[in-house]
Every structure is written in C-alpha cells, then in structure tokens.
Amino acid sequence: MRIGVFVCHCGSNIGGTVDCARVAALARDFPDVAYATDPMYTCAEPGQAAIEEAIHEYRLDGVVVASCSPRMHEPTFRRTVERAGLNRYMFEMANIREHVSWIGKDKEANTNKAAELVRLAVEKLRHNLPLAASQFDVNKRVLVIGGGVAGIQAALDCAEGGIPVVLVEREATIGGKMAKLDKTFPTVDCSACILGPKMVDVAQHPKITLYACAEVEEISGYVGNFTVKIRKRATYVDWSKCTGCGACTEKCPAKKTPDAFNEHTGTTTAINIAFPQAIPKKAVINAQYCRQLTKGKCGVCAKVCPTGAINYAMQEEIVSENVGAIVAATGYDLMDWRVYQEYGGGVYPDVITSLQYERLLSASGPTGGHVLRPSDGKEPQTVVFVQCVGSRDRSIGRPYCSGFCCMYTAKQAILTKDHIPGAQTFVFYMDIRAPGKMYDEFVRRASEEYGTEYIRGRVSQIYPDGQGRLVVKGADTLLGEQVEIKADLVVLAVGIEASKGAVNLAEKLRISYDNHGFFMESHVKLRPVETNTAGVFLAGVCQGAKDIPASVAQGSAAAAKVLTLFARDKLESDPQIAQVDIRRCVACGKCLRCCPFGAIKETEFRGETKAQVIATVCQGCGLCTSTCPQGAIQLQHATDNQILAEVNALCQC
Amino acid sequence: MKYAYYPGCSAKGSSKDYEMSTQAVCRQLDMVLEEIPGWNCCGSTPAHAVDTELSAALCARNLDIAARQGAQLLLTPCPSCLSNLRAAAQRMEKPTFRQRVNELLDEPAAETFPEVISVMQAIAREKENLVKRVRLSLKGVRLAAYYGCLMSRPAERMRFEDPENPLLMENLLAACGAEMVDFPLKTACCGAAFGIPERAMTARNSGRILELAVRLGVDAIVTACPLCQMNLDLRQTQAGRAFETRFHMPVIYYTQALGLALGFTQRELGLHKLAVSAEGLLNKLDGLRRAPAAEGGQS
C-alpha cells in the first residue's frame, strides 16, 4: 500500500505549537508511507489540489490528513480523494488541532503526540477497505410536529414547494404562543392580524393535512421512509360536520371550565372554540368539565348544534402516515415560576406572568382588551415588570437566557401606557439584551418616550401590603440602593423551558437534547437546522430560545432542508454500518435487544436463525459490536481489527 | 428522649423568657435538654464579622464538648447560634481551615461533630406528642409566624425548609388550634444588631414587620429569635416613632404560644417579662375558653 500524509499547519493554529515539518519527517518512516508533507492550509483550494496531484504523482492508494476535527473537514477531504479516483473510505484523519495544538503549550510534547496520532491514522488506513454506498427511494412527504409560527412557516414553505405536508398540533388550534400575544415587537403590530392569514393559508392549502388535538405516538423507519403513528384525541365533536358557528359555546352551562388558551386568566365553557381566529375553527369538549361526560346528564350542545356534530361516544383514534422527512417545531412552555416563594409562589392574584398579561391586553382576551387586575377588576395605576424570573438563575438550575423577554417587557410597558395613559411603569432588569434589528431603539422608546423607569437589579420580594397593593422590594445596583415600589399589578417575565413532552418526543425521533430539554442541532454554527438523525430537522424554540423573526427564519430554513433532501429521487445510505458474519453468529439475540434503533432482525439462513442488519435503519453507533460475544457483528470502517491496529500502533510508539 | 442542649448567651440574660418557655414545653413533651458543660458564647455577629477563624474556634469548642459527650444531635433555641455553629461545622470540613482553627484551641477539636438543629425542629419531630398534650386549644387566636432572616438562610447552610417560605412554626401552632395568617415578611430582617449603630434602619425594618402584622389583624407576632423579639418588642416604640404611629403588638416566642396551649401559666412561660403586654391576647384566650362552655358546646 502507498500512503500519503499531509500534516496541516492550519496557519498558526497548529503550526504555532506543533513542529509540523518534523511530524511529516517522522511520518515518512511509518510503514507504507510513500509521501509526507506539511502544507500551510490543507483545506484551501491549493491544499486540496496538492493532495490530488500527490495521489497521481506518487500513485497513492490512501491518504492521511493530520489537521482539525473530522467533524469539521472529513467530508471535505473525502470528496478530494474521490476526485482523484480513490474510494472515499481510503482516507483517515488525525485530529492534531482540537486534540493537540489547542490544548497543549509544550511544543515538543505536542509534536510527539501529533506524530503518534498520525501513526495511529496510518495504521488504521492500512486496515481500511473500500466501501460502497447503496441507494434507496425517498417518500417525498413531510411531517411537521407543532403548529406554532415556526411549524406553520415550515409547513407553508414545504407545501408551496410542492411537498405534501402532514401538520400535527397538540392543542385544538394552531398558532402556538404567537396566537396568544396581543402585539409584537418592535413594530407593535397586532399578532393575530399577521399570524391569522398564515393560519388560514394552512387550513386552505391543498397540500397540507392538519391534525389538531393530536400527538405523535410512535415513529419508526429512517430518512426517506418514516412511518408515523398519530394519536388523535377524542374531541367529542365530529369536525367534518362542525361549522364553528359557536351556538354550542353560548348555551353550554359548564361555564367554570379553566381557560388554557387565556392562560387561566378567565374561565370558559366545557365546549369551546379557543379564540375567534382559531384554525381549525372547530369546537372541542373538555371532557373533565363537560356535564354530559362527567355526570351523564346535560346534552345541551347536542340539542343546539344545527349540524348534529356532537358525539359523546367519540373515542381517540390512531392514524398512520408515511413521510420522508420530519420537522420538529414543538416550541416552549413557561417554567413553573411558583418555585419563587419570595414572589408569593403563585398565591397573590395580582402577580401574573407576562403571557397572562398578553391575554389581558388582547381584545380577544377575558377582559376584552382592558387592563384590569385579577384580584378586584380595577385598572392598575402602577405596574411593575420583573425580568429574568427563571432565566439566568443557577440557583434553580436555569442558567440560560430566555432571549426575548427584554423585548416583550419593553413592548408591554409601552402598551400599558397606551391602555392606561396615566399609569406608571417600572422594569427591574439584569441586562437589557436587544441585539436585533430596531430592537435597541425600541427599548429606548419604552424608556424615553413612554417614561418607563428601568431599574437595574433583582427583586428580592413581592408581598401584599395588607391594603390591596403589592410591595415590590428590590435593589438598584446602579445607585447601590434598595428600592421599594407599591404596585397594583406585577408582571413576571417568566423564563422559558422546553415544551412539555419534548424529551419524550426526542426519544421517539432519536435526536439528542440538552440538559434543559432543548433539541440539539447537528452543529451549533454550521448545521443549526439539522439534527444528528438524518431526515429530522428543527425549527423554532424547541432548539433554543428565539423570537418570532428567528423562529420564522428557522421554519423556512428547515423547509429548505426538506426541499433539498427531496430534490433527489434516491438517497445514498452510509456504508459505515454494522454487518453480521453469519458464520460466527450464534443467534443469541443480544444485538437485537441492545440496538436502540431496531435495526437488527432475525432471519433464517439454511434452516438456522441468524441476526441481520437492516442497512437503512442502522445508524452505525457500534453498540451491537461491543455487545456481541462472538465478535460476529462488526461495524464497517471501525472493525475490531481496525481498532486493535490503532491500539497496537499507539502502544508500540 | 435526651438531647444535648446549647442555650446560647441570650437565654441566660435578655431572653430568659424564651429559655423558661422552651424548658417548660420540652419538659412537657418528655424532651430532656441537657446543657453541655462549660459552654461559651458562639461569638455571635461580632466574632464572624471580624474573623471567621476566631468565630469558628469559639463554636468548635462548643461542638467539641458536645461531641465528647457522645451527642449525635445538638439543639439550640437561637437562630444566630444555630447559624454560627452550623457554619463552623461546615467550614471545619476543609482541612486547612480546620488546622488553623485547631491552632487557636487548647486541644484539636473532635474529628466529627454532632449535627446542630433548632429546638423548633426537634419539637416538630414530637408533633404527634404535642397534639396529644394540648390542654387549651388556641382556636380563635390569630397569629403571624415570624422566623427572622437567619433561621432558614442561607439555604445550603441551614437546611431549614423552604428558605423563603418556611412553614414549620405555622404547622406547630396550627396543630395547637391557632389561626396562622400568611405572613409575607416572615423571613425579612428586623434590623438585627444594627439596633445600636444604626437605630433608624432597625426602626424602619422592624416597623415594616409590625405595620404588616397590624394590617393583617393578628393578635400577636410569634418569633423564634431572641434578637428579633427584642427589636420588635423592646424597640417597638422606636419603630412606631419611625412610622409616626404607636404600635401595640405583642411579640411572643413560639414556645410561649405552645406553652399556653400545653396549659402553663403566664409566669411559668415568662410572659410577664414582655415590654409590650400580651394582656389583650391572654384576655382573648380566656374569653374564648369560657365561650364554648357558655354556649354549652364542646371544648
């Protein structure tokens, strides 16, 4: 075998603390190395051309590049060697940047370690075999999970691109959190007015199938060929007959049903349409509060329904859909702020969340758009906003910033003045984070034009003064003083957390999630929409805190990724997967049980049971390889022999 | 059950009434408090404000005595003593700190110390016993539980319920029949030792607590700390002056309230030692006790 070694300087990234020329010189003495050199930038166009030239000139049949992490440039160099006529798996990478030059300062030690890693890669390459990918068909339909603004955007863009879309929404209406907002920053335009038309587009688009009141139950398959089971909850209303006229909601006697859409700021009826612009505009019965369903007598809605749509015997239903790609857009929920006992832990009615305040501001909310405080229905004259309640607080395990609270707090302070011109508004803040377009200007407007008093500091306590008002005690860290404000209403900018059930969904999708339940993107900077599971993409806050423009952008980006994937009729499978040597397999079934992807099945071979890998499902994790007592199942490109060769090389150094 | 007991300096002076009532209540619950021999002051605020090692040495000596007595648990009624003793035990876990403290002591301190908890926590473990022995229910009496700032904080040191909203005192007193209001300032600072150098500040802090208690219409504030009791009771006139009013709010120890329920006399509980008389509260209690009999109802 003839191997070429390229020890990259990466400018001074590697060259600064590794003697690259010496590593190349040492590499020339490694077995089968026919050529070694140390280019300045191997990944640049001249660097790649030099590799191609060397392959031809020195008749190389394998290449080692010692440079950065394979996560960074392995695909790049695989394409390079392929252009020069080699199989792309006859290439190995030694990571001497992240693993050597960036972490050590001792040049001699670094040089030795770099040489050892190159030796390792050479030895691995000597045991490599050319591998070939196989091809399979793509089902050009997409599943979008979550009908918030990110999911809506992804669904519409895919549908406009000609792709049939299945949109699954847990709630009775799409629109997500944005539908609950009164106005949006920094333009203060009506949220329902800009989102509404998009929601209608979803309802009317011939390529979009919408399942509301539904959740993803089970996902199987792989990129291009997923099978999804969707659980449709019983709504007790036949939506094919319901016209959304609302006659039932007017007559329903169970008027004390908690109103989840209004964030529990008011009550509603047991049969209900979430809000006037709801999509689908269909009634749903809350079974817990319906008198017919709980006590067996009432039936008023069935009597008044002009189309006979009410069906108290309705059962939940499981439907199955086949898709080729999935966009997760499950959004967020507010954290349970009741852990803050110093703010009353939820017992003071006039301490509310920012989302509840949105409902009080909204014309479709429980107060018809009049700001009236919950305790006595009076108009508040002093409103205090407290930011970072449950954000950037390590003491409760939430170190992250929720991203958009600074902006909506400024918006709510402005709207408060619009609703109640004489009102006084205060904002307690830690830092103002307003980096978006026109954002800082907006915050300044809240403070300069609308006279909102910004106080930099945390609130230590909120308590009722015994005379109907609330005392807000806090620190002004700019003046170094304690402050105390008598407020009529306190609005907490409650931090966000991953949507309830996000972790459960991640397990079904086989994607990673972080400590806080947010889904992990494939690369923080360069692959922000992809996940590590092929064919699964992310949009919106399920991946991390972001505001409406960013969520919409990511929704479109996810759609672009789906359209890119579907631009091909066939996909190539990765050959770096497990393979069973049926001569050694004893059919013990251990691999079957340990595979997290269900990629191994039993098969008959000449009357004997054997394990078989389903090539398109296997993700190449290697669990089965280390579980197999016979060494019969081997991960291609990382076989036991290849790994042992590396270990041997390292131990001989 | 026997407990090693560290009364703290106040118990022998300014808060004799706390000590009397604590002893009375514990006796009634068959909790034997054995004062550790030859104990010294925990150093209180002055020691740890000047030198944490000196403060720890003072505490370590007491912990050492308790350890040598074979105690598993050491009880103290005073939140400030509790805080200092627990802080010292925590800091002594660090070998370098322990070494420096040991140099200040005649002999190196014991390797392991008993855990220090509040008498209140020990009484709470006897809650069933307490309920059984209630002779005169506090039903009809409205009380505000005030823990002061030290009992529950810092959370990781004190490990005393929710640091912002402890409920232990409420649970004990409610078990005796009292009506406990939600008292939002239950862990606010009374001004503590600043009663001497910064009297205005203490007056403001204590006044705020008293003002809210008045607004909530309670018959008394119930406290667990000698210094809080002093600021709210003895300095009540000063606090009133700062708020341009005259408060008349009895401030009693929770052990005095429990003692009343257990049937002790005012004198046995030291209630005659209060600066702001609790007569109103006591008369109300007397009235309430007679009322059911007059109505022919059950007690």
Side-chain angles (χ1 to χ4, degrees), chain B residues 96-170:
Chain B
T96 50
F97 188 87
R98 169 177 282 271
Q99 197 191 337
R100 288 201 299 275
V101 170
N102 277 341
E103 281 167 16
L104 294 172
L105 297 169
D106 287 345
E107 284 169 42
E111 285 294 317
T112 53
F113 295 140
E115 192 186 1
V116 194
I117 63 167
S118 166
V119 172
M120 196 196 294
Q121 288 165 300
I123 291 178
R125 295 179 188 182
E126 298 287 330
K127 193 173 154 192
E128 276 180 35
N129 198 1
L130 172 73
V131 174
K132 264 187 263 168
R133 292 182 193 227
V134 170
R135 287 170 58 189
L136 299 162
S137 165
L138 301 180
K139 196 153 185 269
V141 176
R142 208 169 140 84
L143 300 173
Y146 173 66
Y147 296 79
C149 54
L150 274 180
M151 189 69 113
S152 61
R153 293 181 298 198
E156 58 277 13
R157 179 193 297 166
M158 303 306 278
R159 301 192 184 283
F160 186 96
E161 298 218 301
D162 186 291
E164 303 295 338
N165 187 21
L167 290 167
L168 197 57
M169 215 190 303
E170 281 93 328

Side-chain angles (χ1 to χ4, degrees), chain A residues 133-168:
Chain A
S134 55
Q135 291 196 321
F136 59 92
D137 290 330
V138 183
N139 180 358
K140 295 186 180 179
R141 300 178 82 229
V142 62
L143 167 73
V144 178
I145 307 171
V149 69
I152 288 175
Q153 189 65 39
L156 286 174
D157 285 357
C158 286
E160 281 300 296
I163 304 294
V165 179
V166 177
L167 177 58
V168 175

Side-chain angles (χ1 to χ4, degrees), chain A residues 341 461 463 465 467 484, chain B residues 162 164-165 184-185 208 215:
Chain A
Q341 289 290 329
Q461 198 183 11
Y463 64 93
D465 71 347
Q467 297 177 319
E484 212 174 282
Chain B
D162 186 291
E164 303 295 338
N165 187 21
L185 293 181
R208 184 161 38 213
R215 283 192 191 151

Side-chain angles (χ1 to χ4, degrees), chain A residues 78-97:
Chain A
R78 278 183 174 167
R79 283 195 298 272
T80 310
V81 299
E82 210 163 37
R83 277 200 302 277
L86 299 187
N87 181 281
R88 72 170 89 150
Y89 296 98
M90 298 308 285
F91 166 78
E92 283 297 326
M93 217 163 161
N95 182 355
I96 61 166
R97 192 175 76 174

